[in-house]
Amino acid sequence: MSAAPEVSAAPDGRAPRRLLSSYRDLMAVPGFWRNALVGMISKLPPSMVTLSLLLLVGRDYSYGTAGLMVSGSAIGQGVTAPLRGRLIDRYAPRPVLLGCLTAYLTVTALLLFMVRTGGPVPVLLITAVGLGATAPPVAVMMRSVWCSAGEGATLTTAMALDSSMMGAALITGPVLAGWLSLSVSPVAPFFVTATLTALSVLLLLVDATAAPRSAAGAGRHWLGPLASPPLRRLLAASGLFVTAVTAVDVLLPLYAKEHGAGAYTGLYLGALSVGSVVGSFGLGAVPDLLAHGPKAFVLLIVFVLGTGALCLGTRLSPEMVLLLCPVAGLAIGSTFGTLRTIGGDLAPPGRMTETMSWLSSLDLAGGAVGAAVFAHFAAVRGSGTALLVVPAVALLAAVFGWGARTRAEPLTADANGSGATRG
């Protein structure tokens, strides 16, 4: 009788991991299902706000005013996100989250009242800014929760899952907001977002072990996470990456319009999102694939190649662009997840939520720059020409991503005790 075949070991001596075993390991982490539920619920409201505001304000005001409200909400959220993150890290998450929730629900009610009664535009703008500034940062905190709950391959899979859920929310959120606004009432999406926001806060706080711990005794350099040079490079990479992604989102609909393929607009963006979700899920299934080396750099180079292929597709036909959209989107979600994994790795002790908040703020800033600059560029030179610049921006993000190490050295006080330097 022949001997039973031996199972070959991995190069590092470990038994080879089966496909999807990383997801089974993640599901075995205590509190996984509740964390996954909170993560998904927390991502839906932000994905619904833009379209909900446009349809609500645009009904009684101009669409220019509606766009101003959307910009105000994004500015309010982006400018205050690091402050809210710092408060959560410094104090107990419960009072900060409940305070944000109370203010958020109040501002939402005030916004609806002002719109329905025809309030002045400056007041509407202030309430829109307040809507973004008071939003409880549950989605940001969930990245801190995953960083606390997982490590190694499990953390990579958790962040990939988080990115997949974000991609799914970006697809379903606008669809839900549009259906509620047009089929029920323009006010209905705000009741849904308020309910989901409150539910995500309560679910996160119902188990004290799930919320990130405050670190009152942690070092408090006034720059916070920005005192770390590798983290600053990571923030630059993230902002540039989101600029490039937003540029693609803006330019593809313009390309479809210029080439008489307006019916493809939704399909283009949907195909990008599908590619992003598939790529995130795939990397989560094989977390050791890029375990060694500059993972962010490699994924950003894949995105450069994908957008380059998209540029070639625009020279052929709208149908070819549609076929290449999933390829261009393949690295988007996994790059988001990887940048946040590295961000958690580089976060100074007791600064996890603030670090994740800075990443979110840079993402919002990159999105604003990408939308404004590339929309103007396309208006002057055409969408095809503007799209040629996107791979260059993504390549610049990769250069910064190369300099962001995946493992931070501990922060130590300088000789005067007034700063934080790398030991």
Side-chain angles (χ1 to χ4, degrees):
M1 179 181 296
S2 60
E6 295 183 356
V7 178
S8 59
D12 59 1
R14 296 177 300 172
R17 297 171 62 86
R18 295 182 178 180
L19 188 64
L20 299 182
S21 63
S22 56
Y23 282 102
R24 288 193 292 269
D25 294 342
L26 180 61
M27 287 187 284
V29 172
F32 164 78
W33 290 108
R34 196 180 54 80
N35 290 341
L37 177 63
V38 176
M40 190 68 235
I41 292 175
S42 68
K43 289 171 176 55
L44 279 173
S47 69
M48 297 173 63
V49 166
T50 297
L51 185 56
S52 299
L53 270 177
L54 283 173
L55 295 177
L56 174 72
V57 180
R59 184 187 61 170
D60 299 319
Y61 298 80
S62 70
Y63 273 97
T65 300
L68 189 63
M69 299 301 108
V70 172
S71 299
S73 177
I75 291 171
Q77 181 177 355
V79 170
T80 63
L83 174 61
R84 284 173 287 156
R86 179 170 292 193
L87 289 174
I88 288 173
D89 284 335
R90 182 168 297 184
Y91 305 104
R94 182 179 297 273
V96 178
L97 283 179
L98 292 179
C100 286
L101 177 61
T102 301
Y104 177 78
L105 296 178
T106 302
V107 172
T108 299
L110 180 61
L111 175 65
L112 296 178
F113 174 77
M114 295 303 300
V115 171
R116 296 303 296 268
T117 57
V121 171
V123 177
L124 284 179
L125 179 58
I126 292 173
T127 55
V129 172
L131 191 70
T134 58
V138 179
V140 173
M141 288 184 65
M142 287 311 300
R143 297 170 191 147
S144 302
V145 171
W146 289 125
C147 288
S148 301
E151 58 182 13
T154 302
L155 176 58
T156 299
T157 302
M159 288 301 189
L161 178 63
D162 188 81
S163 296
S164 296
M165 290 191 294
M166 177 58 77
L170 290 175
I171 297 173
T172 58
V175 172
L176 179 60
W179 177 78
L180 288 171
S181 296
L182 299 175
S183 300
V184 182
S185 167
V187 175
F190 291 90
F191 284 100
V192 173
T193 55
T195 300
L196 291 176
T197 300
L199 182 60
S200 65
V201 169
L202 296 177
L203 285 175
L204 181 62
L205 294 180
V206 72
D207 183 3
T209 62
R213 302 288 185 180
S214 63
R220 291 184 185 151
H221 187 278
W222 68 276
L223 282 176
L226 298 185
S228 164
L231 191 52
R232 291 199 297 268
R233 288 192 286 270
L234 181 73
L235 291 171
S238 183
L240 288 166
F241 169 63
V242 176
T243 298
V245 172
T246 305
V248 174
D249 289 340
V250 168
L251 294 175
L252 285 179
L254 295 177
Y255 169 83
K257 181 179 179 181
E258 291 172 3
H259 291 78
Y264 283 173
T265 298
L267 294 176
Y268 284 160
L269 300 181
L272 275 174
S273 297
V274 169
S276 174
V277 172
V278 170
S280 296
F281 187 83
L283 184 61
V286 284
D288 294 331
L289 180 64
L290 297 174
H292 304 288
K295 181 185 294 187
F297 175 81
V298 172
L299 289 172
L300 284 165
I301 291 299
V302 172
F303 180 63
V304 170
L305 296 176
T307 53
L310 205 58
C311 291
L312 293 177
T314 60
R315 299 298 190 262
L316 299 176
S317 69
E319 291 76 17
M320 181 59 67
V321 172
L322 180 60
L323 291 176
L324 290 173
C325 275
V327 177
L330 197 62
I332 292 177
S334 52
T335 303
F336 270 116
T338 297
L339 291 173
R340 276 145 185 77
T341 301
I342 298 174
D345 229 14
L346 295 175
R351 298 282 195 175
M352 178 68 74
T353 306
E354 184 181 354
T355 300
M356 294 300 175
S357 298
W358 273 112
L359 280 167
S360 294
S361 292
L362 265 292
D363 289 350
L364 287 169
V369 171
V373 171
F374 281 89
H376 177 73
F377 195 179
V380 175
R381 295 296 183 89
S383 60
T385 303
L387 195 60
L388 292 173
V389 183
V390 175
V393 176
L395 184 60
L396 184 59
V399 172
F400 279 102
W402 176 272
R405 292 173 295 173
T406 57
R407 179 61 61 182
E409 296 173 1
L411 286 174
T412 58
D414 61 16
N416 297 322
S418 60
T421 59
R422 289 282 160 190

